[in-house]
Amino acid sequence: MSSITIKEFYQDILGDSCPAISQFLTDNIHDDIGHFNVFNIPKIYRAFKLKTEMPCNRQTYYKISLINGKNKIEYTDKTVDIEDCAVLFASPKIPYNYTNVCTEQSGHFCVFTKDFLPTVTIGLELDNLPVFSPNSDFIFQISTEQFHQFEAIFLKMHEEIKSDYIYKYDLLRNYVMELIHFGQKLKPILPVENRKTASSRMTALFVELLERQFPIENISQVIQLKTPADFAGKLGVHVNHLNRILKETTGRTTGEIIGSRIYQESKIILSQTEWNISEIAFTLGFEEVAHFSNFFKKYSQQSPQYFRELQIV
């Protein structure tokens, strides 16, 4: 599963119709202000012929969508059919597949990076907001009246982003927070099929967090989640509870799953790169080379260096 950045999002939508966007994003995407933009769905569909299906990729940005039309959304173990009006709060935590069932679509969506709503602005981590948490059922059915209430906020966004007001992004942040608070008062749509248990969904979220850290593509990339406690904290559960769930659904403990995945990645790096052993240890979260060597020997009965030499022969 690939990760879709905000830059790739624009390139996917605009293609070759706006060649300047690539350089603009390269120059501006890491500004302290973060990134924000808002779109009218019918207009952008007509102008750029958007895909009717969005594959299940991870997004590195956040997206709030107000839609009116028939759509199908699949995520983790669930499928939701949308018949009329709905609002979606998509985050990097939950990859999903989005399919337009009919061509008649109306509404709006906005996209923004995490830096656009920093902790200092909203008082807590963006991912800790209920609509963006890993446990969120992030799709909300709404009435026509509620659709118009949401739309009124989006229309203000459209108007503001075109303005020359020097503090317009501060105002746009307030509009985004208004959407979020409005959404958190709603009741999520229940999925039409739920084949797996809550334990299976927690397992899927754990695996998603684990796999998101790989592959390791350069020596400056260091895995951040490396212990059962790290994952439990990210998922908002007690470490013993997470361990029981994984033992129940996979037959292995949290530590065994993490260790096995790190060992698998270490073999790939040893075989396919020329990084030295200390660099590999660092990227995989080991503070000492000796700790990494002991870890590798535990799984392979070989030292990392000896394993690498065997691959060359």
Side-chain angles (χ1 to χ4, degrees):
M1 185 181 297
S2 60
S3 295
I4 303 300
T5 65
I6 191 74
K7 182 175 178 179
E8 290 166 330
F9 160 78
Y10 279 103
Q11 291 170 335
D12 192 37
I13 289 180
L14 303 178
D16 298 328
S17 62
C18 187
I21 193 67
S22 180
Q23 188 58 46
F24 171 80
L25 290 170
T26 299
D27 294 340
N28 294 280
I29 204 67
H30 297 300
D31 286 353
D32 291 339
I33 195 174
H35 181 79
F36 171 87
N37 210 343
V38 61
F39 301 88
N40 177 289
I41 291 176
K43 287 183 179 179
I44 200 167
Y45 266 80
R46 288 194 301 268
F48 301 109
K49 298 180 181 179
L50 294 190
K51 299 173 183 177
T52 58
E53 182 173 1
M54 185 178 69
C56 192
N57 288 321
R58 289 193 299 265
Q59 302 171 346
T60 62
Y61 53 90
Y62 296 78
K63 183 179 181 182
I64 303 177
S65 302
L66 177 67
I67 57 177
N68 186 2
K70 291 186 177 182
N71 299 275
K72 181 173 73 172
I73 298 175
E74 298 167 289
Y75 63 103
T76 60
D77 57 336
K78 298 184 178 183
T79 300
V80 170
D81 289 323
I82 298 174
E83 295 297 325
D84 294 301
C85 303
V87 60
L88 285 70
F89 292 86
S91 80
K93 296 293 183 183
I94 306 177
Y96 65 97
N97 184 74
Y98 181 96
T99 305
N100 298 143
V101 179
C102 71
T103 56
E104 294 297 322
Q105 301 284 334
S106 63
H108 313 263
F109 67 89
C110 64
V111 294
F112 53 95
T113 58
K114 194 168 188 175
D115 289 338
F116 184 70
L117 287 178
T119 303
V120 67
T121 299
I122 62 177
L124 72 166
E125 285 285 342
L126 187 57
D127 293 332
N128 289 336
L129 291 170
V131 291
F132 288 131
S133 76
N135 298 318
S136 170
D137 291 311
F138 60 103
I139 310 159
F140 301 84
Q141 189 83 51
I142 57 177
S143 66
T144 301
E145 179 182 356
Q146 289 171 322
F147 179 90
H148 291 312
Q149 290 173 329
F150 271 105
E151 187 172 45
I153 302 172
F154 275 103
L155 292 176
K156 289 190 287 186
M157 287 178 168
H158 285 294
E159 190 67 26
E160 197 58 48
I161 202 166
K162 294 184 294 184
S163 77
D164 295 327
Y165 180 45
I166 190 172
Y167 300 114
K168 68 179 180 181
Y169 285 102
D170 291 327
L171 189 51
L172 286 165
R173 287 187 185 91
N174 289 334
Y175 291 152
V176 172
M177 287 306 300
E178 192 173 353
L179 290 176
I180 289 171
H181 285 300
F182 195 178
Q184 289 178 169
K185 296 179 181 180
L186 301 174
K187 184 178 180 180
I189 303 175
L190 295 176
V192 295
E193 56 177 317
N194 188 354
R195 298 182 295 272
K196 301 180 182 179
T197 65
S199 295
S200 295
R201 183 168 181 230
M202 179 63 71
T203 301
L205 290 171
F206 165 80
V207 172
E208 161 64 14
L209 285 176
L210 178 62
E211 288 299 326
R212 186 182 301 171
Q213 302 185 102
F214 305 102
I216 303 293
E217 297 176 331
N218 58 71
I219 59 175
S220 62
Q221 182 183 346
V222 181
I223 64 172
Q224 300 300 312
L225 303 177
K226 50 192 177 184
T227 69
D230 291 338
F231 284 89
K234 202 72 173 175
L235 293 168
V237 297
H238 193 279
V239 64
N240 292 341
H241 177 67
L242 177 61
N243 197 57
R244 283 196 299 271
I245 285 176
L246 294 177
K247 188 71 174 176
E248 170 191 323
T249 55
T250 70
R252 296 191 294 170
T253 67
T254 313
E256 287 171 344
I257 297 172
I258 297 169
S260 176
R261 184 62 183 89
I262 293 176
Y263 171 62
Q264 177 186 350
E265 191 69 15
S266 68
K267 290 195 298 180
I268 294 172
I269 297 173
L270 285 165
S271 302
Q272 299 182 4
T273 76
E274 295 181 355
W275 305 347
N276 63 48
I277 303 301
S278 62
E279 288 172 334
I280 297 172
F282 175 74
T283 63
L284 294 175
F286 294 90
E287 295 181 358
E288 302 289 341
V289 176
H291 295 165
F292 172 59
S293 295
N294 291 335
F295 166 85
F296 196 87
K297 287 178 182 178
K298 174 184 173 183
Y299 283 88
S300 68
Q301 286 74 54
Q302 301 169 341
S303 70
Q305 185 61 44
Y306 184 68
F307 172 85
R308 168 175 273 175
E309 291 169 357
L310 289 178
Q311 309 311 303
I312 299 173
V313 174

